[in-house]
């Protein structure tokens, strides 16, 4: 962020003690870690951005939405970038299941970026990881991370998971 902005002379000054970048147009960008919801509780924001949303608690998202109250911007907006979450994660529930027309979900997968990756990068990951991991992290599909020791070895989602026959 700083390298890109400084190359284009977009930052007027950076107040490191307050973690605020004052931009050339007078806008201020606040940098906050999301380890304590109180750090954002009194802000008036025109926009917000969360990186690695799957690592963020739902409480932070709700607080950020409540802080999008800056009257001097035509439209307040919040953005999240993340790997696809598990289907029981709040991001999936809010951005996929809710059907909220104010939410936009933009999905991308690693294959679309293949031309920017090292040779055989995708192929090596496809060989290294199981189908569930490939579906989630390479294909960008929502799913579940399989963690811990399996109680059933040889599990394959495409073979062992399906709809109920009624």
């Amino acid at each position: 962020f700083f390298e890109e902005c400084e190359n284009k002379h977009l930052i007027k000054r950076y107040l490191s003690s307050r973690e605020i970048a004052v931009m050339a147009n007078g806008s201020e960008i606040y940098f906050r870690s999301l380890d304590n919801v109180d750090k954002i509780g009194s802000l008036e924001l025109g926009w917000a951005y969360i990186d690695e949303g799957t690592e963020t608690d739902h409480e932070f998202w709700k607080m950020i939405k409540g802080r999008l109250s800056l009257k001097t911007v035509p439209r307040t907006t919040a953005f999240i970038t993340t790997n696809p979450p598990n289907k029981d994660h709040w991001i999936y529930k809010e951005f996929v299941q809710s059907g909220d027309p104010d939410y936009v979900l933009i999905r991308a997968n690693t294959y679309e970026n293949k031309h920017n990756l090292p040779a055989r990068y995708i192929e090596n990951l496809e060989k290294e990881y199981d189908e569930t991991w490939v579906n989630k992290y390479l294909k960008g599909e929502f799913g579940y991370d399989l963690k811990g020791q399996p109680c059933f070895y040889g599990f394959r989602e495409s073979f062992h998971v399906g709809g109920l026959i009624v």
Side-chain angles (χ1 to χ4, degrees):
F1 171 81
F2 287 100
E3 183 179 315
E4 188 67 25
C5 287
E6 288 171 359
N7 287 342
K8 296 180 180 173
H9 307 291
L10 299 176
I11 298 176
K12 185 175 179 180
R13 68 181 176 279
Y14 179 64
L15 309 171
S16 59
S17 63
R18 296 178 51 208
E19 296 182 276
I20 298 173
V22 180
M23 308 306 285
N25 67 358
S27 297
E28 297 178 346
I29 299 178
Y30 297 75
F31 295 88
R32 299 290 182 266
S33 66
L34 297 181
D35 59 351
N36 182 342
V37 76
D38 294 334
K39 289 182 179 180
I40 56 175
S42 62
L43 298 175
E44 288 184 20
L45 304 174
W47 64 274
Y49 167 67
I50 297 174
D51 190 26
E52 295 300 344
T54 56
E55 298 175 14
T56 304
D57 291 335
H58 194 204
E59 292 304 311
F60 290 100
W61 176 246
K62 291 191 288 188
M63 178 65 80
I64 285 173
K65 288 193 312 183
R67 304 317 314 152
L68 294 171
S69 58
L70 192 63
K71 294 178 183 177
T72 58
V73 296
R75 179 179 181 191
T76 59
T77 306
F79 307 89
I80 299 173
T81 54
T82 191
N83 285 313
N86 292 338
K87 289 183 178 179
D88 60 353
H89 194 277
W90 65 265
I91 290 176
Y92 182 82
K93 291 175 182 176
E94 287 213 22
F95 285 83
V96 178
Q97 286 182 332
S98 75
D100 188 326
D102 289 332
Y103 284 14
V104 175
L105 177 68
I106 300 169
R107 295 177 61 187
N109 64 56
T110 305
Y111 298 92
E112 295 170 7
N113 193 36
K114 186 174 184 171
H115 61 281
N116 291 312
L117 298 171
R120 305 208 33 81
Y121 174 83
I122 291 174
E123 292 81 0
N124 290 337
L125 291 175
E126 289 172 330
K127 285 190 301 188
E128 179 74 24
Y129 292 99
D130 63 47
E131 174 186 18
T132 302
W133 190 95
V134 168
N135 287 342
K136 188 170 185 179
Y137 294 102
L138 293 183
K139 295 181 180 178
E141 297 174 4
F142 297 103
Y144 288 97
D145 286 324
L146 302 176
K147 297 179 181 174
Q149 294 297 318
C151 59
F152 178 74
Y153 288 93
F155 176 83
R156 288 192 334 263
E157 188 173 7
S158 61
F159 181 78
H160 292 100
V161 176
L164 293 175
I165 299 173
V166 184

